[in-house]
Amino acid sequence: MAIGETIRNSQIWKSIFRHPMPLDRRNRIVVMLTNFFLHLHPVSIKKQGIALSFTWCMGGVTFFLFLVETVTGVLLMFYYRPTLEWAYNDILALRDVTSLGILRELHRWGAHAMVITTWLHMYRVFLTGSYKPPREFNWVIGVILLLLTLLLSFTGYLLPWDQLAIWAITVGSNMARATPILGYEGPGQQLLTIGGIDMITDGSDARFGLLGARFVGEETLNRFYVLHCIAIPLATSLLLAIHFWRVRKDGGISGPL
Amino acid sequence: MHSNGFFLKDVAGFLGGYYAFIAIMNGVASLILWRRKNQLGWAFVWAAVAGVMLILASLALSGSATLVPSLPLAARKLVNALSGPVLYTLGTTALLTVLFVFRKFFVKPMVAWTVLNALLILMGLSMADENFASIVMKPDNVPIVGLVFMLAFFTWVATSQAVVNDERIKQGLPPMEKLNDEKVLVWPDLVYTELICMVAVSAFLLVWALVLQAPLEEPASSVKTPNPSKAPWYFLGLQEMLVYFDPWYAGVVLPSMVVFGLMAMPYLDFNKKGNGYYSIEERKFSYLVYQFGFFELWITLIILGTFLRGPNWNFFGPFEYWTPYKVEVLNNVDLPQFFWVNLLDRPLPRAPQGAGTLVQVGTILLRESPGLILLGAYLVLLPPLLAVTVFRQFFAKMGFVRYMIMANLMLLMLSLPLKMILRWTLNLKYIVSIPEFSLNF
């Protein structure tokens, strides 16, 4: 007890936590205002707004899963090399050799779970009519976040570089070949012909832009790796911040007027 | 089918635990009802169910072909023979409609619990079938099974609250959510809920990761195409649409329209009621449109694409072996063929040899005129027609632009089920087919 007391009275502790333990009403209010991680929340909230039967906690779970994916993803990046030579072998080693190979399971199942919880969160927001004014724009941001979640999962699907991976990505990205005007098998691609030269070929169409090649190969692996580990997570983080900020600014969690 | 004995040994342990879990679940339910004292009859029912489940668990653990509880072979064969894309789609539609119409009945806790038990037992009995188990137990398919149960559960949670609220609103009372108006401090009430949620999700994920290994197949090879080749599970609804539409529409235009439509939703829904509480009656139109899109055109298509589409994207019953040699007759016909050849008994219009571009384009337009006129009527004439009839009030409240966007989004959404019906009834392949410009619809 005495040691705990000494620590809590030390200069270091007090410089980090500006207030005593939140045991009384005053400090429970203060903690919400002075702690960086807690300041996302309001100080007080209607009891209805935190009822699990109302919120399902799915938005929170989705965000938590995003954090799980980030942590396990960074750790996996230490093991995994995105090249044709190593990608498959590194995943194989994660399964058979590496002692913390379960990181891959956590990452993969977490990703599936995140797709599901995103849908459920959206479903709840719809069913409670919470997309209605004044929260219209936050719903729009949510739809973009849904899209980014799916893209994160899709780009990650390729990285194990096994049969499941490349054929799923091949089937998925073949659709881009049929993009109207911009895909070389899409309707209207003939319109982009200048002086008898086709502008849209299999080496310049939407699918090529997605894959970085005419088929799923080494360039695609590199491209999807960078998208999966850097580009999309950054965009997602930014939009998440705006999403949370707007929940507060649009009047907190929804409820009957 | 050949390895039935070995297969049962693999699945027996799982099924034993599975039935034991249902037994515990029902035992707990029975205990809770017994202590509440007002529903003793049901308490006995669930206790009896728990007992039966314990017997099933011990039978399953035997791992012998004669003892593991399973659906009779004749029943499985019948299901296989009956099932097909048509029955599947119509069946799920009918099921969802019944659930919606009789929602007051189905949200009753005892009814919902009975349905849950029935589903779980059916699932358990089906798992004793090798073909069923081999698809459902594929590591990447497991989340979809979870999704189905979670969706059922959360729909029940939402609907039971909506039913209560609708009744209260009818009586002039505020929704239940209004009663819990008192304010509480976020520390500790919310912060601790979040902490418990995080611990629970972490535990769940750890167990999942320990029990189920992530899939890793053979090294990638661009020359060995697996049959079937499937996109990741959440895109299988889109892949299923490829049966009815060309990729430019099913894979690019429709998904873009789904995203656009979702974003546009808050700006199109002018109904101010039902904001911040569960209700169905107050916003029936938007509710039905969303549920139709989500359940009919997204979730059921994913389930179809994952569990019931095998090699060559052929349909397979839930207990059918996925043979790559299944042959399905494809005798689909394009609309111009119907119109010119079958109806008018003339050959398709064709431009004369060496004709100029204009003549060629004109001939194509003539050839496709029945389809183009139909499409034009559908997308251009129908919205204003609806505006002065069914959607009169909508049009007045929304104004021209918003109404047109809503009407066209809804017509695009309906294009999928309409095309399905045309395919099943008339074997119609394309309404407009202009291979010259890769434009088939």
Side-chain angles (χ1 to χ4, degrees), chain B residues 7 34 59 71 132 224 293 311 349 405 436:
Chain B
F7 154 71
W34 177 68
L59 285 177
L71 291 171
F132 185 88
K224 271 200 291 182
I405 290 174
E436 293 87 342

Side-chain angles (χ1 to χ4, degrees), chain A residues 175-192 200 205-206, chain B residues 246-257 437-440:
Chain A
M175 310 233 191
R177 200 159 57 178
T179 311
I181 300 176
L182 294 178
Y184 89 104
E185 284 179 3
Q189 54 89 10
Q190 298 89 338
L191 296 175
L192 286 182
I200 302 294
D205 70 341
Chain B
D246 270 16
W248 72 269
Y249 189 68
V252 184
V253 173
L254 261 185
S256 313
M257 283 299 128
F437 294 106
S438 342
L439 185 72
N440 298 312

Side-chain angles (χ1 to χ4, degrees), chain B residues 201-345:
Chain B
V201 172
S202 307
F204 177 75
L205 206 57
L206 264 172
V207 171
W208 189 0
L210 283 170
V211 171
L212 195 67
Q213 197 168 49
L216 188 64
E217 295 183 354
E218 288 167 48
S221 157
S222 49
V223 288
K224 271 200 291 182
T225 312
N227 187 11
S229 292
K230 291 189 176 186
W233 62 269
Y234 36 83
F235 287 150
L236 284 186
L238 301 179
Q239 204 176 346
E240 174 62 19
M241 287 183 210
L242 287 175
V243 174
Y244 303 97
F245 289 111
D246 270 16
W248 72 269
Y249 189 68
V252 184
V253 173
L254 261 185
S256 313
M257 283 299 128
V258 171
V259 172
F260 174 76
L262 281 171
M263 286 181 180
M265 216 172 71
Y267 305 97
L268 298 175
D269 186 357
F270 57 84
N271 181 2
K272 290 201 167 47
K273 288 180 189 162
N275 185 346
Y277 53 91
Y278 291 101
S279 111
I280 294 175
E281 293 291 342
E282 284 201 310
R283 42 202 292 263
K284 222 170 187 169
F285 181 75
S286 62
Y287 180 86
L288 284 174
V289 172
Y290 189 93
Q291 296 291 52
F292 182 74
F294 187 46
F295 277 95
E296 275 294 307
L297 301 184
W298 192 247
I299 299 294
T300 58
L301 286 189
I302 287 176
I303 295 169
L304 172 59
T306 312
F307 296 131
L308 304 171
R309 289 288 186 184
N312 308 322
W313 209 253
N314 278 331
F315 186 96
F316 288 86
F319 310 113
E320 205 172 332
Y321 175 66
W322 279 17
T323 166
Y325 304 112
K326 183 170 182 171
V327 180
E328 268 182 26
V329 190
L330 286 175
N331 49 1
N332 298 329
V333 185
D334 296 337
L335 185 67
Q337 184 80 15
F338 264 119
F339 182 77
W340 296 102
V341 182
N342 299 9
L343 196 69
L344 299 184
D345 208 12

Side-chain angles (χ1 to χ4, degrees), chain A residues 43-250:
Chain A
V43 168
S44 67
I45 192 166
K46 277 183 188 163
K47 215 170 180 179
Q48 172 55 35
I50 55 172
L52 272 181
S53 60
F54 183 73
T55 66
W56 308 354
C57 205
M58 278 302 152
V61 170
T62 307
F63 178 52
F64 178 64
L65 286 170
F66 179 73
L67 296 180
V68 169
E69 292 302 286
T70 309
V71 173
T72 54
V74 168
L75 291 173
L76 284 168
M77 282 170 79
F78 290 129
Y79 289 95
Y80 171 84
R81 286 160 284 184
T83 60
L84 292 196
E85 197 184 355
W86 288 108
Y88 182 78
N89 284 322
D90 286 344
I91 301 290
L92 205 62
L94 273 171
R95 188 184 74 182
D96 295 339
V97 185
T98 315
S99 32
L100 278 178
I102 196 179
L103 280 172
R104 180 180 170 231
E105 269 77 18
L106 287 173
H107 194 74
R108 192 179 186 99
W109 302 143
H112 284 330
M114 192 175 151
V115 170
I116 293 175
T117 53
T118 310
W119 292 358
L120 288 173
H121 172 58
M122 226 175 137
Y123 188 38
R124 196 281 296 174
V125 170
F126 172 80
L127 288 174
T128 54
S130 306
Y131 59 90
K132 298 187 178 202
R135 297 181 182 79
E136 309 103 302
F137 189 64
N138 217 11
W139 167 270
V140 175
I141 294 174
V143 175
I144 303 173
L145 279 168
L146 164 77
L147 210 62
L148 290 176
T149 307
L150 292 176
L151 283 177
L152 270 173
S153 184
F154 186 68
T155 48
Y157 216 85
L158 181 67
L159 303 185
W161 203 248
D162 62 343
Q163 281 287 73
L164 193 66
I166 70 156
W167 288 100
I169 302 309
T170 303
V171 169
S173 57
N174 269 348
M175 310 233 191
R177 200 159 57 178
T179 311
I181 300 176
L182 294 178
Y184 89 104
E185 284 179 3
Q189 54 89 10
Q190 298 89 338
L191 296 175
L192 286 182
T193 305
I194 300 170
I197 299 166
D198 271 344
M199 293 283 114
I200 302 294
T201 64
D202 63 344
S204 70
D205 70 341
R207 180 166 180 269
F208 189 90
L210 187 67
L211 300 184
R214 286 179 172 83
F215 54 87
V216 180
E218 186 156 28
E219 297 86 350
T220 317
L221 186 57
N222 186 50
R223 186 162 292 209
F224 275 37
Y225 179 72
V226 174
L227 284 172
H228 184 74
C229 302
I230 297 170
I232 308 178
L234 279 178
T236 309
S237 310
L238 176 69
L239 284 173
L240 276 176
I242 302 175
H243 198 57
F244 298 155
W245 185 79
R246 282 207 71 126
V247 170
R248 291 285 305 282
K249 296 294 162 183
D250 292 340

